[in-house]
């Protein structure tokens, strides 16, 4: 009971750490994490093309709707017309190509975990900064997590950026070339439209921004650890000159 009361009594609400780089950058990391998983996980789009059938002057629109987590190989085409399948082709038997769920889910899951960690860290900075600075383990753990997070932002964002490029190719200029019925049986296919993927580009930008924020914040977290204090002591100790001894 005594230990629990001591820990509870350590709660001291103090907003001043938010004015320091340690706390202010943590707020930026929290906001950037929100934009990262929101712009990726909330995406929904469509891609379409026009099919021209022999003996018909009207072009039929064929489309496919896709969204996070971007398992495009499970997304089938369908015609927008309600009558018979255009050009006597069963368009629903064709699927988009590619499964980018691993990159997308890794990116979003990591961003959510970072979001939660930032909340926990901010609570620690605001309410328990005295315990944070008195402890040797907590700042060191924070420092290690910061380094790991910076590295994982680099890995996850690089993988996601490659996936975004492939998604654009698969749903854009390469779409018609993936469909055998186009240019067969006299069916002519032409490019249609695809949803603007600006939000996916934004998610990549925020991913690299997160990497910079976490990498830069590593120095300020390091300054809170005992390692920084030891390096200062060793530096000052190496610079001292012993007083001359008497004859």
């Amino acid at each position: 009971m005594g230990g629990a009361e001591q820990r509870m009594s350590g709660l001291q609400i103090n907003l001043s750490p938010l004015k320091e780089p340690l706390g202010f950058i943590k707020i930026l990391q929290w906001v950037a994490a929100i934009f990262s998983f929101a712009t990726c996980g909330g995406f929904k789009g469509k891609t379409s093309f026009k099919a021209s059938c022999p003996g018909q002057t009207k072009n039929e629109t064929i489309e496919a709707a896709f969204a996070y987590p971007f398992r495009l190989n499970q997304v089938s085409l369908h015609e927008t017309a309600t009558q018979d399948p255009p050009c006597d082709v069963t368009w629903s038997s064709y699927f988009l190509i590619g499964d980018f769920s691993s990159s997308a889910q890794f990116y979003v899951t990591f961003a959510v975990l970072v979001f939660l960690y930032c909340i926990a860290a901010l609570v620690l900075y605001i309410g328990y900064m005295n315990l944070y600075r008195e402890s040797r383990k907590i700042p060191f753990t924070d420092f290690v997590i910061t380094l790991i997070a910076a590295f994982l932002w680099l890995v996850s964002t690089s993988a996601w950026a490659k996936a975004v490029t492939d998604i654009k190719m698969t749903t854009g200029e390469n779409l018609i070339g993936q469909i055998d019925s186009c240019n067969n049986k006299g069916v002519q296919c032409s490019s249609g439209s695809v949803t603007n993927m600006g939000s996916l580009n934004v998610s990549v930008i925020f991913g690299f921004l997160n990497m910079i924020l976490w990498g830069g914040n590593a120095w300020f977290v390091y300054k809170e650890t005992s390692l920084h204090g030891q390096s200062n002591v060793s530096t000052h100790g190496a610079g001292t000159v012993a007083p001359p001894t008497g004859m």
Side-chain angles (χ1 to χ4, degrees):
M1 289 292 293
E5 289 175 0
Q6 253 184 342
R7 286 192 293 270
M8 290 301 294
S9 63
L11 175 62
Q12 297 178 4
I13 303 298
N14 183 9
L15 299 179
S16 61
L18 301 183
K19 301 176 184 178
E20 302 173 7
L22 183 70
F24 180 71
I25 294 178
K26 190 64 67 181
I27 294 177
L28 296 180
Q29 292 169 343
W30 178 68
V31 174
I34 294 175
F35 277 97
S36 294
F37 67 73
T39 51
C40 175
F43 181 84
K44 293 182 180 180
K46 287 184 179 181
T47 182
S48 65
F49 62 91
K50 302 290 186 179
S52 177
C53 311
Q56 296 183 9
T57 57
K58 180 183 177 183
N59 292 335
E60 302 291 345
T61 300
I62 313 299
E63 66 179 21
F66 59 96
Y68 174 84
F70 304 100
R71 293 190 179 94
L72 301 188
N73 57 350
Q74 298 180 9
V75 177
S76 62
L77 301 176
H78 65 274
E79 59 275 1
T80 57
T82 56
Q83 53 253 53
D84 296 334
C87 308
D88 295 325
V89 175
T90 307
W91 297 104
S92 59
S93 64
Y94 291 96
F95 293 80
L96 300 180
I97 294 177
D99 183 357
F100 308 99
S101 59
S102 58
S103 297
Q105 289 177 322
F106 176 42
Y107 180 83
V108 170
T109 301
F110 178 61
V112 172
L113 291 176
V114 167
F115 165 77
L116 296 175
Y117 178 75
C118 287
I119 293 177
L122 286 171
V123 170
L124 182 63
Y125 295 165
I126 295 173
Y128 298 92
M129 198 59 176
N130 55 329
L131 297 179
Y132 181 89
R133 286 179 168 153
E134 290 172 3
S135 172
R136 293 170 61 91
K137 293 183 179 180
I138 297 177
F140 182 75
T141 302
D142 193 15
F143 176 61
V144 172
I145 292 176
T146 300
L147 292 179
I148 294 174
F151 174 73
L152 290 180
W153 273 120
L154 173 62
V155 173
S156 63
T157 305
S158 298
W160 174 233
K162 175 64 168 59
V164 170
T165 301
D166 293 339
I167 291 170
K168 291 178 180 179
M169 295 287 290
T170 300
T171 59
E173 57 189 53
N174 291 348
L175 176 61
I176 295 175
Q178 301 165 6
I179 303 170
D180 295 335
S181 291
C182 288
N183 300 318
N184 289 336
K185 304 178 183 178
V187 179
Q188 298 294 324
C189 300
S190 57
S191 299
S193 62
V194 61
T195 301
N196 185 284
M197 299 188 190
S199 64
L200 299 187
N201 295 334
V202 171
S203 69
V204 173
I205 293 172
F206 271 100
F208 285 116
L209 175 61
N210 271 295
M211 181 197 68
I212 295 172
L213 287 173
W214 283 85
N217 197 37
W219 166 248
F220 298 104
V221 180
Y222 170 75
K223 289 173 65 176
E224 301 293 333
T225 65
S226 58
L227 298 176
H228 183 256
Q230 290 173 0
S231 65
N232 282 342
V233 171
S234 61
T235 302
H236 291 311
T240 55
V241 180
T245 57
M247 293 300 291

